[in-house]
Amino acid sequence: MKVEGLVSSLRNAETIEELFSILKKKGAPVMDLEGMKKLVIVEGDFEGKQFYTEINGLKANMALGDAMLNASSVPFKCKKPFTGGNLIFVDYDNIEAEEFVLAYTAENTGVYFHVKGGEAREISREEYEELKDRMPEFKVKSYSEEEMEGMGAFFG
């Protein structure tokens, strides 16, 4: 699938539940995008309600840490005014955790997944809550010290 196709399909979402449903139908949270396996993170705002991704119970930006700098991000908008967010794509090859749980979540709604060996299966909220504290640490390769120093010099 192409990133543009995924972004354009998200424009059709009229509710947060529909947004999560479209992501799920397209294969998220682990997708093949243009021949590369990616972990799909989503965050944004839907008419004033925040939605975001959790990994093992932590907001994705906390779980990913410095690796967020190594991920690509694509903004998207939905049909309704004041809705949209960012899709963040993490190269699956950079994920060092063999197993984790992930949730696309918002107030009073969510879609939950158990990812093991690169394959995701949908689970219930109860299973997610039960598993999140038992998962191994979620680790993603991030930049080395030299790369960070080089970026510091680049960004001034």
Side-chain angles (χ1 to χ4, degrees):
M1 171 181 292
K2 291 192 177 281
V3 172
E4 298 82 15
L6 177 60
V7 170
S8 69
S9 65
L10 295 178
R11 287 191 187 116
N12 297 320
E14 294 193 35
T15 65
I16 292 174
E17 292 82 2
E18 223 177 301
L19 176 74
F20 294 162
S21 177
I22 291 167
L23 284 166
K24 189 169 66 169
K25 284 180 192 160
K26 296 292 183 180
V30 180
M31 298 178 72
D32 186 311
L33 291 168
E34 300 176 19
M36 294 187 72
K37 198 173 195 176
K38 304 280 187 180
L39 178 65
V40 180
I41 308 295
V42 64
E43 60 187 15
D45 190 280
F46 212 102
E47 295 182 321
K49 289 184 183 172
Q50 296 284 314
F51 60 87
Y52 53 91
T53 304
E54 281 184 5
I55 300 172
N56 292 346
L58 293 174
K59 280 193 172 182
N61 58 352
M62 298 297 289
L64 291 169
D66 290 343
M68 286 286 280
L69 299 169
N70 212 3
S72 55
S73 178
V74 177
F76 69 90
K77 294 220 176 283
C78 298
K79 211 176 243 183
K80 295 194 171 199
F82 312 113
T83 63
N86 285 303
L87 289 168
I88 299 154
F89 303 106
V90 179
D91 286 341
Y92 203 84
D93 291 343
N94 289 340
I95 296 173
E96 295 176 346
E98 183 62 27
E99 181 180 10
F100 56 94
V101 289
L102 179 142
Y104 295 136
T105 189
E107 184 180 308
N108 301 321
T109 190
V111 182
Y112 308 90
F113 300 93
H114 182 199
V115 180
K116 190 172 186 176
E119 298 297 319
R121 72 174 176 85
E122 190 171 357
I123 59 175
S124 69
R125 180 186 181 123
E126 292 75 23
E127 285 178 282
Y128 175 80
E129 292 296 330
E130 186 182 311
L131 288 172
K132 72 181 184 185
D133 295 328
R134 297 196 330 228
M135 288 291 116
E137 183 181 357
F138 182 82
K139 289 174 108 180
V140 179
K141 292 178 196 162
S142 58
Y143 288 113
S144 69
E145 291 286 325
E146 294 86 25
E147 289 171 316
M148 291 297 276
E149 284 175 20
M151 284 177 56
F154 178 74
F155 289 115

